[in-house]
């Protein structure tokens, strides 16, 4: 018994022929999926936040609303950190490239980009101080050297650790976006 509502190979009506969300080139998008290390860390943080929220409920039931407010605020901070961790990475649109780190976000218009290239260099392992030999996607701005900007992507960050093929596809995608929109 076929279930057409569960399959992607059914015929679409002409009236339903609308642009899909990924067709809008003006919206910011990440040209790769978040890696398992990043998703796992965020999931553990959200699990911790659920326990902290449960503790806040118990504290309210015990009759100390001010302490419960502090614990609830701690849970909100942990949730915000988990969401920011998931948001980190390189984002592209027709307007430019955006590098989102934990505390800062840098946006650069494509007209300011001279080149985007993959280089072999020492990179930080999972963002820790330890460096290993790997690949990095570097962005060169007009009037500045490549060393002044942090790497957009590295082969050993939490998105691409032990996923060399995914790093290559993501670097190629960002380079393709740069080639397409740099001349506009």
């Amino acid at each position: 018994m076929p279930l057409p509502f569960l399959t992607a190979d059914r015929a679409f009506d002409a009236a339903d022929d609308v642009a899909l969300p990924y067709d809008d080139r003006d919206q910011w998008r990440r040209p790769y999926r978040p890696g398992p290390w990043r998703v796992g860390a965020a999931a553990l943080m959200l699990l911790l936040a659920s326990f902290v929220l449960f503790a806040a409920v118990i504290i309210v039931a015990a009759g100390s609303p001010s302490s419960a407010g502090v614990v609830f605020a701690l849970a909100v901070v942990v949730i915000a950190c988990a969401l920011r961790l998931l948001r980190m990475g390189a984002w592209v649109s027709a307007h430019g490239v955006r590098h989102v780190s934990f505390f800062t976000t840098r946006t650069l218009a494509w007209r300011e980009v001279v080149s985007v290239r993959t280089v072999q260099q020492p990179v930080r392992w999972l963002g820790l101080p330890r460096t290993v030999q790997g690949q990095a996607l570097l962005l060169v701005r007009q009037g500045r050297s490549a060393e002044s900007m942090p790497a957009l992507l590295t082969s050993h960050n939490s998105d691409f650790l032990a996923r060399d093929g995914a790093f290559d596809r993501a670097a190629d995608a960002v380079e393709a976006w740069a080639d397409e929109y740099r001349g506009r």
Side-chain angles (χ1 to χ4, degrees), residues 132-157:
V132 295
Q133 191 64 27
Q135 294 181 3
L137 184 69
L138 296 180
L139 184 86
V140 180
R141 293 177 60 177
Q142 288 179 351
R144 296 199 181 169
S145 66
E147 290 80 29
S148 64
M149 288 285 292
L152 283 178
L153 307 171
T154 65
S155 59
H156 287 78
N157 69 5

Side-chain angles (χ1 to χ4, degrees), residues 105-120:
T105 299
R106 291 186 182 107
T107 303
L108 190 63
W110 288 121
R111 65 180 175 277
E112 299 175 30
V113 175
V114 174
S115 70
V116 178
R117 57 192 166 93
T118 305
V119 296
Q120 190 83 16

Side-chain angles (χ1 to χ4, degrees), residues 17-34:
D17 192 20
V18 295
L20 296 173
Y22 57 82
D23 287 336
D24 186 11
R25 302 287 232 170
D26 290 331
Q27 288 190 350
W28 292 99
R29 73 187 76 210
R30 188 187 335 229
Y32 56 90
R33 291 183 178 160

Side-chain angles (χ1 to χ4, degrees), residues 5-155:
F5 59 90
L6 294 178
T7 62
D9 58 348
R10 67 179 188 269
F12 291 100
D13 294 335
D16 292 338
D17 192 20
V18 295
L20 296 173
Y22 57 82
D23 287 336
D24 186 11
R25 302 287 232 170
D26 290 331
Q27 288 190 350
W28 292 99
R29 73 187 76 210
R30 188 187 335 229
Y32 56 90
R33 291 183 178 160
W37 288 91
R38 183 177 309 280
V39 173
L44 287 175
M45 290 175 73
L46 291 173
L47 182 65
L48 173 69
S50 69
F51 288 123
V52 173
L53 285 171
F54 186 66
V57 169
I58 292 173
I59 292 171
V60 163
S64 178
S66 62
S67 297
V70 170
V71 173
F72 179 75
L74 176 68
V76 169
V77 167
V78 171
I79 291 170
C81 288
L83 294 177
R84 186 63 181 186
L85 184 67
L86 287 173
R87 184 102 171 117
M88 289 171 53
W91 295 74
V92 293
S93 78
H95 304 291
V97 62
R98 180 174 285 172
H99 182 247
V100 180
S101 62
F102 194 77
F103 293 111
T104 61
T105 299
R106 291 186 182 107
T107 303
L108 190 63
W110 288 121
R111 65 180 175 277
E112 299 175 30
V113 175
V114 174
S115 70
V116 178
R117 57 192 166 93
T118 305
V119 296
Q120 190 83 16
Q121 69 178 30
V123 296
R124 297 173 79 182
W125 184 76
L126 289 176
L128 298 172
R130 177 178 176 227
T131 60
V132 295
Q133 191 64 27
Q135 294 181 3
L137 184 69
L138 296 180
L139 184 86
V140 180
R141 293 177 60 177
Q142 288 179 351
R144 296 199 181 169
S145 66
E147 290 80 29
S148 64
M149 288 285 292
L152 283 178
L153 307 171
T154 65
S155 59

Side-chain angles (χ1 to χ4, degrees), residues 161-181:
L161 187 65
R163 297 175 56 214
D164 294 330
F167 174 79
D168 293 337
R169 285 190 303 275
D172 290 343
V174 174
E175 289 173 1
W177 277 78
D179 290 340
E180 182 176 350
Y181 289 104

